C-alpha cells in the first residue's frame, strides 16, 4: 500500500531504473543499426590508402519495405475496420470506422505518424505510438454589431477587446473567443524514450511501461502542473546521458546544451509512467498513471492533488516487424541485413583495391638507385612523367586482378540478402536474368518476396489495430458529438453511444492484401451470386455488398455510386412511392385490353344487329309466304265454290 508521494516516487523510480538497464542494451543495437543505415564506413576497419566504400544494403532494404508497407495502408482502402458484435449495429460499426479513420488521418498528420512508426520498427526493432486525449485552446476573433445589452450578456469564453458606440445606439465590438477543444492525438515515441519492464511479454500486460521526454518549465505549467512545484524541479544536466541525447536527436556527436535565456525555458526530463501498484491496500495491484520528475510526483494545479489516477489500460501500441516469442522486442529488418552489408562491402573494397593495384602496380626500387625525388615521383604519379633515379634498378611488381571471383561472391551475398528479406531485384523491377530466366521462376520469386512483405505488413496492421481499439475506447469515454461524412453523407457521431466493445478486423494478411487478387476473387464469385439471387437463396442486398466491395477495391468509388442500396431509407421510401403509382406498362396493357374488349363488344353488337336483321327478314319472308299461301288457298276455295255453283245450276235447268 502506498503511504505518500515519496513512496510512490520510489517505486516508480525503481521500476524505471530496471527498465533503463534493459533499454541501454537495446540502445547500443539501435545505434549500430542507424550507423549501418547511414552506410557508416567505420563499421569496417579502414586502412590508409585503400578503398573506403560501404554499400547501403540496410538503407535499400528498409526504404523499399517502408514504401511497400505505407502504400498498402494509405492507398485508400480501409485496412482496419470495426465489426459489430450484436445484430443491428452494423451502421454503428461503419460509423465508428469512418470516425476513427477521420480522426487519425485528417485531424492530424496521420501519414507521417504511420511513416515514423513503420521506419522505427524496421530500423530500431520497435515502433511505438501513444494515443492520448488533450485539451487544446483555440482562439478566434470576430467583429460584431449588436445592442449593448446583448454584448453584456455574452457567455464565458468571450472577451470584449474593443468596443465603439455607433450613432444608432448599437455598438461595434471586437470579440476574442476562446474555446477549449478535446482532441485525440497520437504521438510517435522514439524507442530511446520508451521504457518497459524487461519481464513484459506484451505492452498491454507489462507491469511497467512509460516514456520520458524533455519539457521546458513553461510547457509543464501549460500542461496543468503546479507552477510553484515546477519552478523547483531539477533541470536536465548536460551530461546525464549523452548516448540518450544522440539517439533522440538522431545523430552522433550531438552536444546537448541546456543553457536557456530564462528559467522558464530550462528543460526538465518528464516521466509519463503506467505501473501496477497497490494504491488502496487490498492486496491487488491496480494500473495507475503518474507524472514524475526524478523523485517528485507532479501536482495538478487545478485540484492541488497528485497527478496520479487509476486507469484501465496503457496508451502505447508497439510494432515489431519480426516478433520474438515471449518478449516485446524481436528483430528489425536491419538485423537481417547488417552482416550481409558488411560482407558485401568487404568484398567490394577488395574489388576496388584489386582494380586500383592492377591499374597502378607497385614498384621495386633498390636503395642504391634512389634520389631525393624518387619516392615522390612513385607515390604521386603523373601519366607520362619520369621517375628520377641515379641509375637503373626499378622493377614493376605485377598485380593479378580477377574481378570475376569478387563479382561471384557479391552475387552470392546478394542472394543471401534477398532470401532473408524477401526483397529481390525482381520486386524492384531490376534485371533478374542471372537469378532465373523462366516466367514461372520469376512469378515464384515475386510471390516469395510479397510473402515477406505481407508478413511484415500484417504485424504492422495488428499494432495499428490495437492502436485503433485504444482510440475507440478513449473517444467513447471522452469525446463530444461531432459531424463527419460517412459514405458521402454528413452524419452526427456521438461516441458515447457506441457499444462498449467492437470486433476489429485487419484486412492485411498473407496473400489477401493484394487488391488485384481480391478483385479476381470477387469476379469469380459473380456467377454463383447471380445464380443464388435468381434461385432465391440471396437477396438484392447481397448483390449491393458485392458491388460495394468491387468499387472500393478498384478505387473507383463505392457501391452507391453505381446502384441503390436496398437498405437505404431513401431508396425504400422511393420504392414505396413508386408502388403506389400505377405502372405505365400495366396501364398500357390494361388500356389495350379495354380497347380489345370494346372492339369485341362492338363486333358482338354488329353481329347481333346483323342477326336481328336476318331474323326480321326471315319473319317477313315467312309472313309473305304465309300470306301468299293463304291467298292461294282462298283463290282455290273460291274457284272450287264457283265451279260447284255452276254445276248445280246446270242440273236444275236441264
Amino acid at each position: 500500500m502506498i503511504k505518500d508521494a515519496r513512496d510512490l516516487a520510489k517505486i516508480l523510480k525503481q521500476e524505471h531504473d530496471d527498465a533503463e538497464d534493459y533499454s541501454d542494451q537495446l540502445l547500443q543495437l539501435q545505434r549500430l543499426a542507424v550507423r549501418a543505415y547511414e552506410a557508416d564506413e567505420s563499421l569496417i576497419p579502414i586502412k590508409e590508402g585503400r578503398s573506403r566504400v560501404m554499400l547501403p544494403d540496410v538503407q535499400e532494404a528498409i526504404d523499399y519495405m517502408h514504401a511497400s508497407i505505407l502504400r498498402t495502408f494509405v492507398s485508400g482502402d480501409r485496412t482496419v475496420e470495426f465489426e459489430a458484435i450484436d445484430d443491428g449495429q452494423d451502421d454503428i460499426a461503419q460509423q465508428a470506422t469512418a470516425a476513427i479513420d477521420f480522426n487519425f488521418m485528417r485531424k492530424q498528420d496521420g501519414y507521417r505518424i504511420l511513416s515514423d512508426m513503420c521506419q522505427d520498427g524496421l530500423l530500431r526493432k520497435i515502433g511505438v505510438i501513444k494515443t492520448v486525449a488533450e485539451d487544446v485552446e483555440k482562439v478566434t476573433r470576430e467583429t460584431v454589431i449588436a445592442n449593448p445589452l446583448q454584448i453584456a450578456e455574452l457567455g464565458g469564453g468571450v472577451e470584449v477587446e474593443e468596443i465603439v458606440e455607433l450613432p444608432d445606439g448599437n455598438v461595434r465590438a471586437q470579440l476574442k473567443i476562446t474555446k477549449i477543444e478535446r482532441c485525440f492525438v497520437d504521438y510517435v515515441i522514439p524507442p530511446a524514450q520508451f521504457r518497459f519492464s524487461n519481464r513484459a511479454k506484451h505492452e498491454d500486460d507489462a507491469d511497467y511501461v512509460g516514456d520520458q521526454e524533455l519539457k521546458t518549465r513553461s510547457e509543464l505549467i501549460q500542461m496543468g502542473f503546479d507552477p510553484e512545484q515546477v519552478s523547483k524541479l531539477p533541470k536536465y544536466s548536460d551530461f546525464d546521458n549523452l548516448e540518450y541525447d544522440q539517439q533522440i536527436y538522431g545523430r552522433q556527436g550531438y552536444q546537448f546544451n541546456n543553457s536557456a535565456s530564462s528559467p522558464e525555458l530550462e528543460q526538465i526530463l518528464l516521466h509519463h509512467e503506467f505501473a501496477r501498484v497497490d494504491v488502496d491496500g487490498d492486496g491487488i495491484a491496480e494500473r495507475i498513471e503518474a507524472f514524475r520528475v526524478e523523485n517528485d510526483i507532479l501536482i495538478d494545479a487545478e485540484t492541488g492533488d497528485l497527478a496520479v489516477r487509476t486507469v484501465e489500460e496503457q496508451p502505447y501500441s508497439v510494432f515489431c516487424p519480426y516478433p520474438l516469442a515471449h518478449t516485446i522486442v524481436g528483430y528489425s529488418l536491419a538485423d537481417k541485413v547488417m552482416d550481409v552489408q558488411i560482407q558485401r562491402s568487404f568484398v567490394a573494397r577488395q574489388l576496388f583495391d584489386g582494380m586500383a593495384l592492377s591499374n597502378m602496380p607497385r614498384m621495386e626500387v633498390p636503395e642504391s638507385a634512389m634520389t631525393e625525388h624518387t619516392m615522390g615521383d612513385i607515390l604521386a604519379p603523373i601519366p607520362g612523367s619520369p621517375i628520377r633515379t641515379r641509375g637503373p634498378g626499378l622493377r614493376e611488381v605485377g598485380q593479378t586482378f580477377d574481378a570475376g571471383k569478387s563479382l561471384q561472391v557479391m552475387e552470392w551475398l546478394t542472394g543471401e540478402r534477398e532470401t532473408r528479406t524477401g526483397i529481390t531485384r525482381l520486386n524492384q523491377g531490376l534485371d533478374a536474368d542471372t537469378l532465373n530466366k523462366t516466367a514461372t521462376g520469376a512469378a515464384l520469386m515475386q510471390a516469395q518476396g510479397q510473402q515477406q512483405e505481407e508478413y511484415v505488413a500484417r504485424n504492422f496492421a495488428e499494432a495499428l489495430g490495437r492502436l485503433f481499439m485504444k482510440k475507440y475506447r478513449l473517444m467513447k469515454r471522452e469525446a463530444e458529438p461531432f459531424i463527419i461524412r460517412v459514405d458521402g453523407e454528413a452524419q452526427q457521431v456521438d461516441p458515447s453511444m457506441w457499444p462498449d466493445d467492437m470486433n476489429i478486423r485487419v484486412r492485411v494478411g498473407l496473400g489477401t492484401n493484394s487488391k488485384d487478387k481480391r478483385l479476381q476473387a470477387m469476379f469469380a464469385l459473380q456467377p454463383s451470386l447471380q445464380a443464388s439471387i435468381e434461385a432465391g437463396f440471396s437477396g438484392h442486398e447481397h448483390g449491393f455488398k458485392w458491388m460495394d466491395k468491387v468499387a472500393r477495391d478498384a478505387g473507383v468509388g463505392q457501391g452507391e455510386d453505381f446502384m441503390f442500396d436496398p437498405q437505404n431509407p431513401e431508396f425504400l421510401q422511393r420504392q414505396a412511392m413508386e408502388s403506389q403509382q400505377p405502372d405505365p406498362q400495366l396501364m398500357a396493357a390494361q388500356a389495350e385490353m379495354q380497347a380489345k374488349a370494346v372492339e369485341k363488344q362492338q363486333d358482338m353488337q354488329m353481329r347481333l344487329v346483323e342477326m336481328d336483321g336476318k331474323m326480321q327478314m326471315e319473319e317477313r319472308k315467312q309472313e309473305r309466304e304465309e300470306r301468299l299461301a293463304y291467298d292461294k288457298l282462298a283463290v282455290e276455295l273460291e274457284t272450287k265454290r264457283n265451279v260447284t255453283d255452276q254445276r248445280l245450276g246446270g242440273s236444275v235447268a236441264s
Side-chain angles (χ1 to χ4, degrees):
M1 180 176 178
I2 304 301
K3 297 180 180 180
D4 54 24
R6 190 180 300 274
D7 289 342
L8 179 58
K10 183 178 179 180
I11 293 175
L12 293 177
K13 193 171 188 308
Q14 180 62 46
E15 290 282 1
H16 172 270
D17 291 343
D18 293 342
E20 185 85 6
D21 294 338
Y22 182 51
S23 179
D24 288 342
Q25 301 174 27
L26 294 177
L27 183 61
Q28 301 302 321
L29 299 176
Q30 291 166 354
R31 287 188 61 197
L32 181 62
V34 172
R35 290 176 60 194
Y37 181 83
E38 295 176 346
D40 185 357
E41 60 186 26
S42 65
L43 288 173
I44 301 177
I46 300 173
K47 294 183 178 180
E48 187 66 31
R50 296 297 179 90
S51 173
R52 305 164 68 93
V53 65
M54 175 62 71
L55 301 178
D57 290 42
V58 170
Q59 186 178 111
E60 289 178 356
I62 288 179
D63 288 351
Y64 176 83
M65 184 71 78
H66 187 197
S68 179
I69 293 177
L70 283 184
R71 180 189 61 184
T72 301
F73 282 83
V74 299
S75 60
D77 190 24
R78 293 179 177 177
T79 304
V80 179
E81 293 183 345
F82 290 98
E83 290 184 338
I85 297 178
D86 299 329
D87 294 336
Q89 295 181 342
D90 293 337
D91 292 341
I92 297 179
Q94 185 178 8
Q95 185 185 86
T97 299
I100 298 295
D101 181 74
F102 172 79
N103 187 275
F104 185 85
M105 295 299 297
R106 300 292 179 263
K107 298 286 284 186
Q108 60 186 3
D109 192 352
Y111 175 82
R112 181 61 183 269
I113 292 172
L114 292 177
S115 176
D116 291 351
M117 180 184 184
C118 180
Q119 189 178 62
D120 276 344
L122 295 174
L123 179 59
R124 297 183 174 92
K125 298 179 180 290
I126 55 173
V128 185
I129 288 185
K130 178 170 71 172
T131 181
V132 295
E134 295 180 346
D135 290 329
V136 178
E137 183 179 87
K138 294 189 176 182
V139 178
T140 58
R141 286 177 168 80
E142 182 180 354
T143 301
V144 298
I145 297 177
N147 187 281
L149 295 177
Q150 294 176 326
I151 299 298
E153 293 175 355
L154 291 175
V158 180
E159 177 184 349
V160 180
E161 293 185 324
E162 181 182 356
I163 188 167
V164 178
E165 294 184 1
L166 300 177
D168 58 0
N170 291 328
V171 295
R172 182 172 61 246
Q174 176 73 25
L175 304 180
K176 176 184 176 182
I177 304 172
T178 303
K179 181 180 179 182
I180 304 298
E181 181 177 345
R182 195 69 166 166
C183 296
F184 300 87
V185 295
D186 303 280
Y187 294 105
V188 180
I189 306 298
Q193 294 180 241
F194 186 57
R195 297 290 182 270
F196 58 92
S197 172
N198 56 7
R199 306 181 301 273
K201 299 180 180 180
H202 193 277
E203 67 267 22
D204 289 332
D205 300 329
D207 293 334
Y208 174 85
V209 65
D211 68 278
Q212 54 191 34
E213 184 179 6
L214 293 173
K215 296 283 189 180
T216 65
R217 299 185 193 275
S218 176
E219 289 174 331
L220 291 178
I221 294 174
Q222 288 179 342
M223 291 174 64
F225 299 120
D226 182 53
E228 182 178 356
Q229 182 193 34
V230 170
S231 65
K232 299 177 182 179
L233 294 174
K235 72 174 184 178
Y236 185 68
S237 171
D238 296 359
F239 304 101
D240 280 347
N241 195 335
L242 180 60
E243 291 182 350
Y244 166 73
D245 299 329
Q246 291 174 350
Q247 180 72 3
I248 288 295
Y249 294 99
R251 59 183 185 275
Q252 299 183 31
Y254 174 82
Q255 298 298 325
F256 178 79
N257 185 2
N258 200 7
S259 61
S261 58
S262 64
E264 291 77 15
L265 299 181
E266 290 178 344
Q267 293 188 311
I268 296 171
L269 190 61
L270 173 67
H271 300 274
H272 188 196
E273 299 168 307
F274 296 81
R276 295 188 185 276
V277 181
D278 182 13
V279 294
D280 54 9
D282 61 355
I284 300 176
E286 296 84 17
R287 188 185 295 279
I288 65 167
E289 175 189 15
F291 292 89
R292 179 179 61 86
V293 174
E294 292 294 334
N295 298 317
D296 295 316
I297 303 295
L298 297 188
I299 298 174
D300 191 316
E302 184 176 352
T303 63
D305 298 328
L306 296 177
V308 179
R309 62 170 183 160
T310 303
V311 295
E312 296 181 359
E313 61 182 350
Q314 53 82 25
Y316 304 97
S317 300
V318 178
F319 158 62
C320 179
Y322 298 95
L324 186 63
H326 314 301
T327 182
I328 293 178
V329 180
Y331 296 101
S332 66
L333 184 59
D335 294 333
K336 294 180 173 290
V337 185
M338 275 192 289
D339 61 327
V340 176
Q341 175 177 343
I342 293 175
Q343 294 164 6
R344 276 174 35 90
S345 298
F346 181 77
V347 175
R349 288 186 181 185
Q350 290 184 334
L351 180 64
F352 283 103
D353 288 341
M355 182 174 61
L357 294 174
S358 177
N359 292 336
M360 300 181 64
R362 301 177 66 186
M363 302 296 295
E364 184 180 287
V365 184
E367 291 184 356
S368 60
M370 292 179 60
T371 69
E372 66 274 15
H373 304 293
T374 302
M375 293 307 297
D377 293 342
I378 292 175
L379 296 177
I382 300 175
S385 64
I387 299 177
R388 290 165 285 186
T389 64
R390 288 192 176 93
L394 293 178
R395 184 172 69 88
E396 184 177 292
V397 180
Q399 299 289 334
T400 59
F401 175 54
D402 189 352
K405 293 182 178 179
S406 297
L407 292 175
Q408 288 178 359
V409 174
M410 291 191 67
E411 183 67 23
W412 174 74
L413 290 171
T414 301
E416 284 293 303
R417 184 188 69 184
E418 294 172 348
T419 301
R420 295 184 187 184
T421 64
I423 302 172
T424 68
R425 288 164 289 185
L426 196 66
N427 292 73
Q428 297 172 321
L430 302 180
D431 182 16
D433 289 343
T434 56
L435 300 177
N436 199 319
K437 296 183 179 181
T438 66
T440 304
L444 291 175
M445 289 188 62
Q446 281 185 326
Q448 181 181 6
Q450 290 176 358
Q451 186 179 32
Q452 287 289 332
E453 293 175 36
E454 290 167 357
Y455 173 70
V456 175
R458 177 57 184 256
N459 292 328
F460 186 74
E462 291 293 338
L464 191 60
R466 295 193 297 273
L467 166 68
F468 274 28
M469 283 304 302
K470 288 181 171 66
K471 203 172 187 70
Y472 174 90
R473 290 188 285 266
L474 184 63
M475 292 181 65
K476 175 176 170 56
R477 290 193 303 267
E478 303 187 25
E480 297 291 334
F482 58 95
I483 296 177
I484 62 168
R485 299 190 72 85
V486 180
D487 290 338
E489 296 182 1
Q491 296 185 12
Q492 184 173 16
V493 178
D494 186 0
S496 64
M497 302 302 294
W498 290 348
D500 292 335
D501 199 10
M502 278 271 192
N503 287 333
I504 192 164
R505 182 170 59 139
V506 181
R507 298 186 64 181
V508 180
L510 300 181
T512 64
N513 188 51
S514 171
K515 292 184 178 181
D516 293 337
K517 292 180 180 178
R518 292 206 301 268
L519 285 172
Q520 291 176 3
M522 292 294 294
F523 280 109
L525 289 174
Q526 183 183 11
S528 299
L529 177 62
Q530 185 175 356
S532 179
I533 293 175
E534 293 175 354
F537 297 110
S538 301
H540 296 293
E541 62 274 12
H542 299 98
F544 174 78
K545 289 181 179 179
W546 180 88
M547 176 63 76
D548 186 63
K549 291 183 181 298
V550 169
R552 291 181 186 276
D553 282 341
V556 295
Q558 55 191 13
E560 289 189 346
D561 295 335
F562 303 96
M563 63 184 297
F564 292 113
D565 181 1
Q567 304 299 327
N568 190 320
E570 294 183 0
F571 174 69
L572 295 176
Q573 183 179 5
R574 176 178 176 178
Q575 271 194 326
M577 292 177 61
E578 290 181 351
S579 64
Q580 295 176 0
Q581 297 178 357
D583 188 357
Q585 294 183 352
L586 181 60
M587 291 179 62
Q590 291 177 348
E592 184 178 357
M593 291 177 62
Q594 290 177 356
K596 289 182 177 180
V598 171
E599 182 179 357
K600 188 175 182 180
Q601 184 178 5
Q602 291 177 349
D603 183 60
M604 184 65 69
Q605 290 177 351
M606 291 294 294
R607 289 183 180 181
L608 290 174
V609 170
E610 183 177 355
M611 290 176 63
D612 184 59
K614 288 182 177 180
M615 290 178 64
Q616 290 179 0
M617 290 179 65
E618 288 292 333
E619 289 177 355
R620 292 192 186 96
K621 181 178 179 182
Q622 188 176 358
E623 289 178 355
R624 286 198 302 271
E625 289 178 352
E626 290 178 353
R627 187 173 296 157
L628 289 173
Y630 177 79
D631 293 341
K632 182 178 180 182
L633 181 60
V635 171
E636 290 179 353
L637 291 175
E638 183 68 25
T639 303
K640 287 180 178 181
R641 190 181 60 171
N642 293 331
V643 172
T644 302
D645 289 343
Q646 288 177 6
R647 285 180 179 178
L648 291 175
S651 297
V652 172
S654 62

